[in-house]
Amino acid sequence: MTVKIAPISESLATFFDQNEYSHIAILVDEFTNKYCLPIIQDLLPSNFTKILIKSGEHHKNLATCEQVWDRMTKANMDRHSLLVNLGGGVIGDLGGFCASTYKRGIDFIQIPTTLLAQVDASVGGKLGIDFHGLKNHIGVFQLPKAVLIDPKFIDTLSIQQKKSGFAEIIKHCLIRDEKEWSAIRQQSFEELDLSKLIAHSVAIKEAVVLEDPKEAGLRKILNFGHTLGHAIETYLLDKGKRKILHGEAIAIGMIVEAFISHQRDLISLQELEEIESYLFENYGRVKLHTEEISKIIALTAQDKKNKGKEIRFSLLTGLGDCGYDIPVSASEMKKAIQYYLN
Ligand code: GLY
């Protein structure tokens, strides 16, 4: 997998100079069709197939995959074809999954257009779709042929979307780089150099994925904040209860899981307080009702890191350090969510 951080006009032109395909399709949603496709259209062959799907996590499902496979089939795409995924996490995860399974797999490249996808989803080959309300429940590991990241794409994002991606940048610092964590937490969001932080996050993620591509061990540290974060996101998004962006849910997950780390004497009270004050400052406090807590905890039973009945967490074992496969009980989770809410 090649990850290039460069203006897209340069990196995509180089990619096409070095690779030849019998047909090229590009997967977009209504936003990337309007704002991003015009930027790269001239670099594509004139006979490319455009596959337009609806944006949003609730379309990351089997029905949308069927549409994509149908369009690829009708365009007579053979095994020497390429799918270009132009968009955020939904486009990348779903498009990569469709490409990896179409005729047992064709090449695909990721051109992530959101901060979240640039610093996390596009790197590392985790592909898939949601199923029966469970996030990324069906999927595969398959590396893209290339990930082409152009930080310019994020200029058009709302502050809320940028902050959603920033949560994964914070996570990468907390689990792997104490020095960078100390640097970012002294700055307001507006003061941050996002281009530099994208490169920093991608380097951390690439190094972890290189060591453990299929999440047999070390890669689980990338899930810090995600066991309860995913459960909260799944719970709130189910039947449209409340709107929450992925990074906003992960910010809650990181506070709650940092609290469990502290309860286990893995990080100090001061370290916990530094983490929670920065996250509250950037993401505010989401309201959850007491009766919702047990429903959220029940959802952790579906977490992909679990073994048997054990709910296993990735917890901070210091600042810039993270352990994994740590069993956590329902009562510890409850106490941690109550801590967040108070
Ligand atoms: N987002 C976590 C991972 O790719 O492993």
Side-chain angles (χ1 to χ4, degrees):
M1 176 184 60
T2 335
V3 183
K4 281 254 154 34
I5 304 180
I8 194 65
S9 53
E10 284 169 27
S11 59
L12 191 57
T14 307
F15 179 83
F16 285 133
D17 279 349
Q18 293 169 348
N19 296 276
E20 221 180 286
Y21 290 99
S22 55
H23 193 75
I24 290 170
I26 182 151
L27 183 67
V28 289
D29 61 26
E30 64 273 25
F31 297 109
T32 57
N33 182 39
K34 190 165 170 193
Y35 299 110
C36 305
L37 185 54
I39 300 171
I40 64 164
Q41 189 146 354
D42 288 349
L43 299 165
L44 300 171
S46 54
N47 66 342
F48 76 88
T49 298
K50 180 164 82 179
I51 307 178
L52 175 64
I53 61 170
K54 289 194 179 121
S55 64
E57 186 75 26
H58 50 292
H59 294 292
K60 190 175 155 181
N61 56 26
L62 207 47
T64 308
C65 289
E66 278 191 49
Q67 287 170 27
V68 175
W69 288 319
D70 186 54
R71 292 278 287 127
M72 290 163 94
T73 307
K74 287 193 173 128
N76 290 318
M77 285 173 68
D78 64 19
R79 265 196 169 166
H80 308 279
S81 307
L82 174 78
L83 182 67
V84 178
N85 297 319
L86 180 66
V90 174
I91 290 275
D93 288 8
L94 183 142
F97 178 66
C98 288
S100 305
T101 45
Y102 178 76
K103 297 193 176 179
R104 295 207 181 87
I106 60 165
D107 280 358
F108 63 98
I109 62 172
Q110 308 288 42
I111 306 182
T113 57
T114 63
L115 184 57
L116 185 67
Q118 293 191 347
V119 297
D120 189 16
S122 66
V123 181
K126 273 189 183 175
L127 312 167
I129 52 169
D130 302 339
F131 182 71
H132 292 181
L134 296 168
K135 270 187 71 75
N136 302 325
H137 199 61
I138 306 293
V140 293
F141 285 101
Q142 182 68 51
L143 290 176
K145 188 84 179 158
V147 182
L148 307 181
I149 297 173
D150 185 346
K152 270 264 161 243
F153 278 123
I154 63 171
D155 288 351
T156 55
L157 300 177
S158 66
I159 181 109
Q160 202 196 4
Q161 276 177 312
K162 282 188 198 165
K163 280 200 170 175
S164 177
F166 180 51
E168 297 287 358
I169 293 178
I170 296 173
K171 177 198 78 182
H172 287 136
C173 295
L174 285 173
I175 62 170
R176 277 305 238 202
D177 191 343
E178 180 180 6
K179 213 162 138 228
E180 194 62 44
W181 160 243
S182 300
I184 57 168
R185 75 181 182 79
Q186 323 246 5
Q187 294 168 62
S188 70
F189 183 74
E190 290 68 28
E191 287 168 335
L192 297 165
D193 179 347
L194 286 180
S195 292
K196 191 180 128 242
L197 288 170
I198 291 168
H200 176 261
S201 264
V202 168
I204 288 179
K205 180 144 190 199
E206 266 195 295
V208 171
V209 168
L210 195 67
E211 216 172 300
D212 177 21
K214 294 214 171 156
E215 204 169 277
L218 179 74
R219 185 168 179 169
K220 293 177 194 174
I221 67 170
L222 298 173
N223 285 297
F224 167 63
H226 282 61
T227 308
L228 279 160
H230 260 163
I232 290 166
E233 183 183 11
T234 302
Y235 177 77
L236 292 182
L237 291 179
D238 184 43
K239 302 185 187 76
K241 279 186 207 77
R242 316 226 258 289
K243 271 209 166 123
I244 190 158
L245 296 180
H246 175 73
E248 293 168 339
I250 296 315
I252 306 174
M254 286 193 284
I255 295 175
V256 171
E257 296 183 17
F259 175 80
I260 300 173
S261 303
H262 170 60
Q263 290 293 101
R264 300 259 181 135
D265 279 335
L266 300 171
I267 60 169
S268 68
L269 180 62
Q270 190 191 331
E271 289 167 339
L272 168 65
E273 286 175 352
E274 280 168 14
I275 294 169
E276 69 175 69
S277 70
Y278 191 67
L279 290 170
F280 277 132
E281 197 180 294
N282 277 290
Y283 298 93
R285 198 188 304 257
V286 171
K287 277 200 176 68
L288 295 169
H289 307 293
T290 317
E291 67 278 10
E292 294 181 307
I293 297 179
S294 57
K295 293 180 185 145
I296 289 166
I297 292 172
L299 282 167
T300 60
Q302 290 296 340
D303 193 275
K304 287 181 275 303
K305 296 181 302 305
N306 296 344
K307 185 143 190 218
K309 287 203 160 56
E310 251 175 27
I311 317 293
R312 294 176 158 198
F313 278 61
S314 301
L315 295 178
L316 294 180
T317 45
L319 288 181
D321 217 349
C322 190
Y324 53 88
D325 284 344
I326 304 170
V328 172
S329 68
S331 62
E332 284 176 288
M333 291 184 228
K334 187 171 173 197
K335 192 169 168 195
I337 298 174
Q338 276 163 343
Y339 174 81
Y340 170 86
L341 293 174
N342 297 320

Coordinates of all heavy atoms in Angstrom, one line a residue, residues 108-179:
F108 N -8.4 -1.1 -6.1 CA -9.1 0.1 -5.7 C -8.1 1.1 -5.1 O -7.1 0.7 -4.5 CB -10.3 -0.1 -4.8 CG -10.0 -0.7 -3.5 CD1 -9.9 0.2 -2.3 CD2 -9.7 -2.0 -3.3 CE1 -9.5 -0.3 -1.1 CE2 -9.3 -2.5 -2.0 CZ -9.3 -1.7 -0.9
I109 N -8.4 2.4 -5.2 CA -7.6 3.4 -4.5 C -8.6 4.3 -3.7 O -9.7 4.4 -4.0 CB -6.7 4.3 -5.5 CG1 -7.6 5.1 -6.4 CG2 -5.7 3.4 -6.2 CD1 -6.8 6.1 -7.3
Q110 N -8.0 4.8 -2.6 CA -8.8 5.6 -1.7 C -8.3 7.1 -1.9 O -7.1 7.4 -1.8 CB -8.5 5.3 -0.2 CG -8.8 3.8 0.1 CD -10.2 3.4 0.1 OE1 -11.0 3.7 -0.8 NE2 -10.6 2.5 1.1
I111 N -9.2 8.0 -2.2 CA -8.9 9.4 -2.1 C -9.8 10.0 -1.1 O -11.0 10.4 -1.3 CB -9.2 10.1 -3.5 CG1 -8.4 9.3 -4.6 CG2 -8.8 11.6 -3.5 CD1 -8.6 10.0 -6.0
P112 N -9.4 10.0 0.2 CA -10.2 10.4 1.3 C -10.4 12.0 1.3 O -9.4 12.7 1.1 CB -9.4 10.0 2.5 CG -8.0 9.9 2.1 CD -8.0 9.6 0.6
T113 N -11.6 12.4 1.5 CA -11.9 13.8 1.4 C -12.4 14.4 2.7 O -12.6 15.6 2.8 CB -13.0 14.1 0.3 OG1 -14.2 13.3 0.7 CG2 -12.6 13.7 -1.1
T114 N -12.4 13.6 3.7 CA -12.7 14.2 5.1 C -11.5 14.0 5.9 O -10.7 13.1 5.7 CB -13.9 13.5 5.7 OG1 -13.6 12.1 6.0 CG2 -15.2 13.6 4.9
L115 N -11.4 14.8 7.0 CA -10.2 14.6 7.9 C -10.3 13.3 8.5 O -9.2 12.6 8.7 CB -10.3 15.8 9.0 CG -9.1 15.8 9.9 CD1 -7.8 15.9 9.2 CD2 -9.3 16.9 10.9
L116 N -11.5 12.8 8.9 CA -11.6 11.5 9.6 C -11.1 10.4 8.7 O -10.3 9.5 9.1 CB -13.1 11.3 9.9 CG -13.5 10.0 10.6 CD1 -12.9 10.1 12.1 CD2 -15.0 9.8 10.7
A117 N -11.4 10.4 7.4 CA -11.0 9.4 6.5 C -9.5 9.5 6.2 O -8.8 8.5 6.0 CB -11.8 9.4 5.2
Q118 N -9.0 10.8 6.2 CA -7.6 11.0 5.9 C -6.7 10.4 7.0 O -5.6 9.8 6.7 CB -7.3 12.4 5.6 CG -7.9 13.0 4.3 CD -7.5 14.3 3.9 OE1 -6.8 15.0 4.7 NE2 -7.8 14.7 2.7
V119 N -7.1 10.6 8.2 CA -6.2 10.2 9.3 C -6.5 8.8 9.8 O -5.7 8.3 10.7 CB -6.2 11.2 10.5 CG1 -5.8 12.6 10.1 CG2 -7.6 11.3 11.2
D120 N -7.6 8.2 9.4 CA -7.9 6.9 10.0 C -8.4 5.9 8.9 O -7.7 5.0 8.5 CB -8.9 7.1 11.1 CG -9.1 5.8 11.9 OD1 -8.3 4.8 11.7 OD2 -10.1 5.6 12.6
A121 N -9.7 6.1 8.5 CA -10.4 5.1 7.7 C -9.7 4.7 6.4 O -9.7 3.5 6.1 CB -11.8 5.6 7.4
S122 N -9.0 5.6 5.7 CA -8.5 5.2 4.4 C -7.2 4.4 4.5 O -6.8 3.8 3.6 CB -8.2 6.5 3.6 OG -7.1 7.3 4.2
V123 N -6.6 4.5 5.7 CA -5.3 3.8 5.9 C -5.5 2.5 6.6 O -6.1 2.4 7.6 CB -4.3 4.7 6.7 CG1 -2.9 4.0 6.9 CG2 -4.1 6.0 6.0
G124 N -5.0 1.4 6.0 CA -4.9 0.1 6.8 C -5.8 -1.0 6.3 O -5.8 -2.1 6.9
G125 N -6.7 -0.7 5.3 CA -7.4 -1.8 4.7 C -8.5 -2.4 5.4 O -8.9 -3.6 5.1
K126 N -9.1 -1.7 6.4 CA -10.3 -2.3 7.0 C -11.5 -1.8 6.2 O -11.7 -0.6 6.0 CB -10.5 -1.7 8.4 CG -9.8 -2.5 9.5 CD -10.2 -2.1 10.9 CE -9.5 -2.8 12.0 NZ -9.8 -2.3 13.3
L127 N -12.2 -2.7 5.6 CA -13.3 -2.4 4.7 C -14.6 -3.1 5.2 O -14.6 -4.1 5.8 CB -13.0 -2.9 3.3 CG -11.6 -2.6 2.8 CD1 -11.3 -3.4 1.5 CD2 -11.5 -1.1 2.5
G128 N -15.7 -2.5 4.9 CA -17.0 -3.2 5.2 C -18.2 -2.3 5.3 O -18.1 -1.1 5.0
I129 N -19.2 -2.9 5.8 CA -20.5 -2.2 5.9 C -21.2 -2.5 7.2 O -20.8 -3.4 7.9 CB -21.5 -2.7 4.7 CG1 -21.6 -4.2 4.7 CG2 -21.0 -2.1 3.4 CD1 -22.6 -4.8 3.9
D130 N -22.2 -1.7 7.6 CA -23.0 -1.9 8.8 C -24.0 -3.0 8.5 O -24.4 -3.1 7.3 CB -23.6 -0.6 9.2 CG -22.6 0.5 9.5 OD1 -21.4 0.2 9.7 OD2 -23.0 1.7 9.5
F131 N -24.5 -3.7 9.5 CA -25.4 -4.7 9.3 C -26.3 -4.8 10.5 O -25.9 -4.9 11.6 CB -24.7 -6.1 9.1 CG -25.6 -7.2 8.8 CD1 -26.2 -7.3 7.5 CD2 -25.7 -8.2 9.7 CE1 -27.0 -8.4 7.3 CE2 -26.5 -9.3 9.4 CZ -27.2 -9.4 8.2
H132 N -27.6 -4.8 10.2 CA -28.6 -4.8 11.3 C -28.3 -3.9 12.5 O -28.3 -4.3 13.6 CB -28.8 -6.3 11.8 CG -29.4 -7.2 10.8 ND1 -29.7 -8.5 11.0 CD2 -29.8 -6.9 9.5 CE1 -30.2 -9.0 9.9 NE2 -30.3 -8.1 9.0
G133 N -27.9 -2.7 12.1 CA -27.6 -1.7 13.1 C -26.2 -1.8 13.7 O -25.8 -1.0 14.6
L134 N -25.4 -2.8 13.4 CA -24.1 -3.0 14.0 C -23.0 -2.4 13.0 O -23.0 -2.8 11.9 CB -23.8 -4.4 14.3 CG -24.8 -5.0 15.4 CD1 -24.7 -6.5 15.4 CD2 -24.5 -4.4 16.7
K135 N -22.2 -1.6 13.6 CA -21.2 -0.9 12.8 C -20.1 -1.8 12.2 O -19.5 -2.6 13.0 CB -20.5 0.2 13.6 CG -21.2 1.5 13.5 CD -20.5 2.6 14.2 CE -19.2 3.0 13.4 NZ -19.5 3.8 12.2
N136 N -19.8 -1.7 10.9 CA -18.7 -2.5 10.3 C -18.8 -4.0 10.6 O -17.8 -4.6 10.9 CB -17.3 -1.9 10.7 CG -17.2 -0.4 10.4 OD1 -17.7 0.0 9.4 ND2 -16.6 0.3 11.3
H137 N -20.0 -4.5 10.7 CA -20.2 -5.9 11.1 C -19.8 -6.9 10.1 O -19.4 -8.0 10.4 CB -21.7 -6.0 11.5 CG -22.0 -7.2 12.4 ND1 -21.4 -7.3 13.6 CD2 -22.7 -8.3 12.2 CE1 -21.9 -8.4 14.2 NE2 -22.7 -9.0 13.3
I138 N -19.9 -6.5 8.8 CA -19.5 -7.4 7.7 C -18.4 -6.7 6.9 O -18.6 -5.5 6.5 CB -20.8 -7.6 6.7 CG1 -22.0 -8.1 7.5 CG2 -20.4 -8.5 5.6 CD1 -21.9 -9.4 8.1
G139 N -17.3 -7.4 6.7 CA -16.2 -6.7 6.0 C -15.0 -7.6 5.9 O -15.0 -8.8 6.2
V140 N -14.0 -7.0 5.3 CA -12.7 -7.8 5.0 C -11.6 -6.8 5.3 O -11.7 -5.6 5.4 CB -12.7 -8.2 3.5 CG1 -13.7 -9.3 3.2 CG2 -12.8 -7.0 2.6
F141 N -10.4 -7.4 5.4 CA -9.1 -6.7 5.4 C -8.6 -6.8 4.0 O -8.4 -7.9 3.5 CB -8.1 -7.3 6.3 CG -8.3 -7.1 7.8 CD1 -8.9 -8.1 8.6 CD2 -7.9 -5.9 8.4 CE1 -9.1 -7.9 10.0 CE2 -8.1 -5.7 9.8 CZ -8.7 -6.7 10.6
Q142 N -8.4 -5.7 3.3 CA -7.8 -5.7 2.0 C -7.1 -4.3 1.7 O -7.8 -3.3 1.8 CB -8.9 -6.0 0.9 CG -8.4 -6.1 -0.5 CD -7.5 -7.3 -0.7 OE1 -7.8 -8.5 -0.4 NE2 -6.3 -7.1 -1.3
L143 N -5.9 -4.3 1.5 CA -5.2 -3.0 1.3 C -5.5 -2.4 -0.1 O -5.6 -3.1 -1.1 CB -3.7 -3.2 1.4 CG -3.2 -3.5 2.8 CD1 -1.7 -3.7 2.8 CD2 -3.5 -2.4 3.8
P144 N -5.8 -1.1 -0.1 CA -5.9 -0.4 -1.4 C -4.6 -0.4 -2.2 O -3.5 -0.6 -1.6 CB -6.4 1.0 -1.0 CG -5.9 1.2 0.4 CD -5.8 -0.2 1.0
K145 N -4.7 -0.2 -3.4 CA -3.5 -0.1 -4.3 C -2.7 1.2 -3.9 O -1.5 1.2 -3.8 CB -3.9 0.0 -5.7 CG -2.8 -0.1 -6.7 CD -2.4 -1.5 -7.0 CE -1.3 -1.5 -8.0 NZ -0.5 -2.7 -8.1
A146 N -3.5 2.2 -3.5 CA -2.9 3.5 -3.1 C -3.9 4.3 -2.3 O -5.1 4.1 -2.5 CB -2.4 4.3 -4.3
V147 N -3.3 5.1 -1.3 CA -4.1 6.1 -0.6 C -3.6 7.4 -1.0 O -2.4 7.7 -0.7 CB -4.1 5.9 0.9 CG1 -5.0 6.9 1.6 CG2 -4.4 4.4 1.3
L148 N -4.4 8.3 -1.6 CA -3.9 9.6 -2.1 C -4.5 10.7 -1.2 O -5.7 10.9 -1.4 CB -4.2 9.8 -3.6 CG -3.7 8.6 -4.5 CD1 -4.0 8.9 -5.9 CD2 -2.2 8.4 -4.3
I149 N -3.8 11.3 -0.3 CA -4.3 12.2 0.6 C -3.9 13.6 0.2 O -2.7 13.9 0.1 CB -3.8 11.9 2.0 CG1 -4.3 10.6 2.5 CG2 -4.2 13.0 3.0 CD1 -3.7 10.1 3.8
D150 N -4.9 14.5 0.0 CA -4.6 15.9 -0.3 C -5.3 16.7 0.8 O -6.5 16.9 0.8 CB -5.2 16.3 -1.7 CG -4.8 17.7 -2.0 OD1 -4.4 18.5 -1.1 OD2 -5.0 18.1 -3.2
P151 N -4.5 17.3 1.7 CA -5.1 18.1 2.8 C -6.0 19.2 2.4 O -6.8 19.7 3.1 CB -3.9 18.6 3.6 CG -2.8 17.6 3.2 CD -3.0 17.2 1.8
K152 N -5.9 19.6 1.1 CA -6.7 20.7 0.6 C -8.2 20.4 0.6 O -9.0 21.3 0.8 CB -6.3 21.0 -0.9 CG -5.2 22.1 -1.0 CD -5.8 23.5 -1.2 CE -4.9 24.6 -0.9 NZ -5.3 25.5 0.1
F153 N -8.5 19.1 0.5 CA -9.9 18.7 0.4 C -10.7 19.1 1.7 O -11.8 19.3 1.7 CB -10.1 17.2 0.3 CG -9.9 16.7 -1.2 CD1 -9.0 15.8 -1.5 CD2 -10.8 17.2 -2.1 CE1 -8.9 15.3 -2.9 CE2 -10.7 16.8 -3.5 CZ -9.8 15.8 -3.8
I154 N -9.9 19.2 2.8 CA -10.6 19.4 4.1 C -11.0 20.9 4.3 O -11.8 21.2 5.2 CB -9.9 18.9 5.3 CG1 -8.5 19.6 5.5 CG2 -9.7 17.4 5.3 CD1 -7.9 19.3 6.8
D155 N -10.5 21.8 3.4 CA -10.8 23.2 3.5 C -12.3 23.4 3.4 O -12.8 24.4 4.0 CB -10.1 24.0 2.4 CG -8.6 24.1 2.6 OD1 -8.2 23.7 3.7 OD2 -7.9 24.5 1.7
T156 N -13.0 22.5 2.7 CA -14.5 22.8 2.5 C -15.3 22.2 3.6 O -16.6 22.4 3.6 CB -14.9 22.1 1.2 OG1 -14.6 20.8 1.2 CG2 -14.3 22.8 0.0
L157 N -14.7 21.5 4.6 CA -15.5 20.8 5.6 C -16.0 21.8 6.7 O -15.3 22.8 7.0 CB -14.7 19.8 6.3 CG -14.1 18.6 5.5 CD1 -13.3 17.7 6.4 CD2 -15.2 17.8 4.8
S158 N -17.1 21.5 7.4 CA -17.5 22.3 8.5 C -16.6 22.1 9.7 O -15.9 21.0 9.7 CB -19.0 21.9 8.9 OG -19.0 20.6 9.4
I159 N -16.6 23.0 10.6 CA -15.8 22.8 11.8 C -16.2 21.5 12.6 O -15.3 20.8 13.1 CB -15.9 24.1 12.7 CG1 -15.0 23.9 14.0 CG2 -17.3 24.4 13.2 CD1 -13.8 24.8 13.9
Q160 N -17.5 21.2 12.5 CA -17.9 20.0 13.2 C -17.3 18.7 12.6 O -16.9 17.8 13.3 CB -19.5 19.9 13.2 CG -20.1 19.1 14.3 CD -21.5 18.7 14.0 OE1 -22.1 19.1 13.0 NE2 -22.1 18.0 14.9
Q161 N -17.3 18.7 11.3 CA -16.7 17.6 10.6 C -15.2 17.5 10.8 O -14.6 16.4 11.0 CB -17.0 17.7 9.1 CG -18.3 17.1 8.7 CD -18.6 17.3 7.2 OE1 -18.3 18.4 6.7 NE2 -19.0 16.3 6.5
K162 N -14.6 18.7 10.8 CA -13.1 18.7 11.1 C -12.8 18.1 12.5 O -11.9 17.3 12.7 CB -12.5 20.1 10.9 CG -12.3 20.5 9.5 CD -11.6 21.9 9.5 CE -11.8 22.6 8.2 NZ -11.4 23.9 8.2
K163 N -13.6 18.6 13.4 CA -13.4 18.1 14.8 C -13.7 16.6 15.0 O -13.0 15.9 15.8 CB -14.3 18.9 15.8 CG -13.7 20.3 16.1 CD -14.2 20.8 17.4 CE -13.5 22.0 17.8 NZ -14.1 22.7 18.9
S164 N -14.6 16.1 14.1 CA -14.8 14.7 14.2 C -13.5 13.9 13.8 O -13.1 13.0 14.5 CB -16.0 14.3 13.2 OG -16.2 12.9 13.2
G165 N -12.9 14.4 12.8 CA -11.6 13.8 12.4 C -10.5 14.0 13.4 O -9.7 13.1 13.7
F166 N -10.5 15.2 14.0 CA -9.5 15.6 15.0 C -9.5 14.6 16.2 O -8.4 14.3 16.8 CB -9.7 17.0 15.4 CG -8.7 17.5 16.4 CD1 -7.4 17.4 16.2 CD2 -9.2 18.1 17.6 CE1 -6.4 17.8 17.1 CE2 -8.2 18.6 18.5 CZ -6.9 18.4 18.3
A167 N -10.7 14.0 16.5 CA -10.7 13.0 17.6 C -9.8 11.9 17.4 O -9.1 11.4 18.3 CB -12.1 12.5 17.8
E168 N -9.7 11.4 16.1 CA -8.8 10.3 15.8 C -7.3 10.8 15.9 O -6.4 10.0 16.2 CB -9.1 9.7 14.4 CG -10.5 9.1 14.3 CD -10.7 7.8 15.1 OE1 -9.7 7.3 15.7 OE2 -11.8 7.2 15.1
I169 N -7.0 12.0 15.6 CA -5.7 12.6 15.7 C -5.3 12.6 17.2 O -4.2 12.2 17.6 CB -5.6 14.0 15.2 CG1 -5.8 14.0 13.6 CG2 -4.3 14.7 15.5 CD1 -5.8 15.4 12.9
I170 N -6.2 13.0 18.1 CA -6.0 13.0 19.5 C -5.7 11.6 20.0 O -4.8 11.3 20.7 CB -7.2 13.6 20.3 CG1 -7.4 15.1 19.9 CG2 -7.0 13.4 21.8 CD1 -8.7 15.7 20.5
K171 N -6.5 10.6 19.5 CA -6.3 9.2 19.8 C -4.9 8.8 19.5 O -4.2 8.1 20.3 CB -7.4 8.4 19.1 CG -7.2 6.9 19.4 CD -7.9 6.0 18.4 CE -7.2 5.9 17.1 NZ -7.9 5.2 16.0
H172 N -4.5 9.1 18.3 CA -3.1 8.6 17.8 C -2.1 9.2 18.8 O -1.1 8.5 19.1 CB -2.9 9.0 16.4 CG -3.6 8.2 15.4 ND1 -4.3 8.7 14.3 CD2 -3.9 6.9 15.3 CE1 -4.9 7.7 13.6 NE2 -4.7 6.6 14.2
C173 N -2.2 10.5 19.2 CA -1.2 11.0 20.1 C -1.3 10.3 21.5 O -0.3 10.0 22.0 CB -1.5 12.5 20.3 SG -1.3 13.5 18.8
L174 N -2.5 10.1 22.0 CA -2.6 9.5 23.3 C -2.0 8.1 23.4 O -1.5 7.7 24.4 CB -4.1 9.5 23.7 CG -4.7 10.8 24.2 CD1 -6.2 10.7 24.4 CD2 -4.0 11.3 25.4
I175 N -2.2 7.3 22.3 CA -1.7 5.9 22.3 C -0.3 5.8 21.9 O 0.4 4.8 22.2 CB -2.6 5.0 21.5 CG1 -2.6 5.4 20.0 CG2 -4.0 5.0 22.0 CD1 -3.2 4.4 19.0
R176 N 0.3 6.8 21.2 CA 1.6 6.6 20.7 C 2.6 7.7 20.8 O 3.8 7.5 20.6 CB 1.5 6.3 19.2 CG 1.2 4.9 18.7 CD 2.2 3.8 19.3 NE 2.8 3.1 18.2 CZ 3.4 1.9 18.4 NH1 3.3 1.3 19.6 NH2 4.0 1.2 17.4
D177 N 2.2 8.9 21.2 CA 3.1 10.0 21.2 C 2.8 11.1 22.2 O 2.1 12.0 22.0 CB 3.1 10.7 19.7 CG 4.2 11.6 19.6 OD1 4.8 12.1 20.6 OD2 4.5 12.0 18.4
E178 N 3.4 10.9 23.4 CA 3.1 11.8 24.5 C 3.5 13.2 24.2 O 2.8 14.2 24.6 CB 3.8 11.2 25.8 CG 3.6 12.1 27.0 CD 4.3 11.7 28.2 OE1 5.1 10.7 28.2 OE2 4.1 12.3 29.3
K179 N 4.6 13.3 23.5 CA 5.2 14.7 23.2 C 4.2 15.5 22.4 O 3.9 16.6 22.6 CB 6.5 14.5 22.5 CG 7.5 15.6 22.8 CD 8.9 15.2 22.4 CE 9.5 16.5 21.8 NZ 10.2 16.2 20.5

